[in-house]
Amino acid sequence: MLNVTKPNIGVLALQGDVVDHARALEAAGANVRKVRRASELDDVEALVLPGGESTAMSNLLLAFDLLEPIRKRLDDGMPAYGSCAGMIMLARRVVDGRDDQRSFGAIDMTVRRNAFGRQVDSFETDVELTGIEGGPYRTVFIRAPWVEEIGDDVEVIGRISQGPADGRIVAVRSGNHLATAFHPEVTTDARVHEYFVTMVRAAAGARG
Ligand code: GLN
C-alpha cells in the first residue's frame, strides 16, 4: 500500500498572500498551519514565506519576535519555500532594500528587490524549471526580485528565457531551502507546491 504522509507545513501569516499558499499546499497534500507566533513554529516541520512586501514583513517579524526563532529553525535545516517577498526574506544579501530591512540569510544569494522595474511591474512568462516535469511553468511576476549572485551550494532551478530580462535567475534551491521570484500560488498549477511538499517529505525521511 502506498504510504504517503501528510506533512505539517506552516505559512508565515503576518502579511501577504497567505490564503493562496495555504490552498495550494493543501492541494499538494500538506496539513497547513498559519504561523503568527514563535510557539506555533513547534507544530510545523517546514515553513512557507509568502509574497507580499518584504520591508513590512521584516518589521512584523521583529514586532512579533519571530525573526530569530525562524532563523534558528532555518539554520537547523527546516525546509522552507519563499516566493517573491519570501525569496527576499530567505536571501543572505538584498540589493535595493530598505537599509534596516532584515532577512534570514538562509540562501547564499544576492537578490535585487523590484528588479524588473516599474514599466513591467507585473507580467507572465513560461519558465522551464529543473526537477519539475510536465513542460514549462506559467510564471506570474508581481514587482518581483531576481537573483544576481549565488554561492557554490545554490542550484539554479529556473531562468527567464526571453525579453530584456533573458537569462535572469528566478528560481533557486539550496539544500532544504527553495525560492522563486514568481507566485505559483496565484495559478492553478500545483507543481511547485508539490515539489516543495516532496522536499519536505524527503527531509523528514532523512531525519528518520
Ligand atoms: N516588491 C516586494 C518586496 O520587496 C515583493 C513583491 C511581491 O511579493 N509580490 O517585498
Side-chain angles (χ1 to χ4, degrees), residues 92-136:
R92 202 158 295 170
R93 294 166 299 275
V94 179
V95 177
D96 273 353
R98 210 178 56 195
D99 282 350
D100 63 346
Q101 133 168 44
R102 309 277 292 272
S103 67
F104 297 117
I107 300 181
D108 182 7
M109 63 178 170
T110 305
V111 300
R112 179 175 294 276
R113 259 183 92 215
N114 302 330
F116 293 91
R118 289 237 172 102
Q119 302 87 323
V120 281
D121 253 1
S122 303
F123 64 98
E124 296 184 23
T125 187
D126 287 337
V127 173
E128 285 288 351
L129 297 174
T130 306
I132 296 188
E133 287 172 5

Side-chain angles (χ1 to χ4, degrees), residues 159-162 165-169:
R159 292 179 189 268
I160 301 271
S161 63
Q162 58 193 22
D166 190 14
R168 289 295 180 182
I169 301 169

Side-chain angles (χ1 to χ4, degrees), residues 134-188:
Y137 196 90
R138 188 71 182 165
T139 54
V140 179
F141 292 84
I142 305 165
R143 292 196 308 114
W146 65 40
V147 180
E148 293 204 339
E149 229 177 46
I150 52 169
D152 292 340
D153 59 352
V154 180
E155 181 195 357
V156 174
I157 293 190
R159 292 179 189 268
I160 301 271
S161 63
Q162 58 193 22
D166 190 14
R168 289 295 180 182
I169 301 169
V170 292
V172 295
R173 176 171 175 179
S174 173
N176 285 336
H177 301 146
L178 175 72
T180 65
F182 53 87
H183 290 269
E185 73 282 7
V186 303
T187 72
T188 54

Side-chain angles (χ1 to χ4, degrees), residues 15 25 28 71 89 92 109 124 141 145 186 194 197-198 200:
Q15 196 266 344
L25 286 165
R71 189 200 301 281
M89 294 310 305
R92 202 158 295 170
M109 63 178 170
E124 296 184 23
F141 292 84
V186 303
E194 283 164 5
V197 170
T198 303
V200 175

Side-chain angles (χ1 to χ4, degrees), residues 7-9 20 30 33 51 56-57 68 79 82 84 97 120 143 163:
N8 287 337
I9 300 185
D20 288 328
R33 307 281 166 88
M57 229 177 268
E68 289 309 324
C84 202
V120 281
R143 292 196 308 114

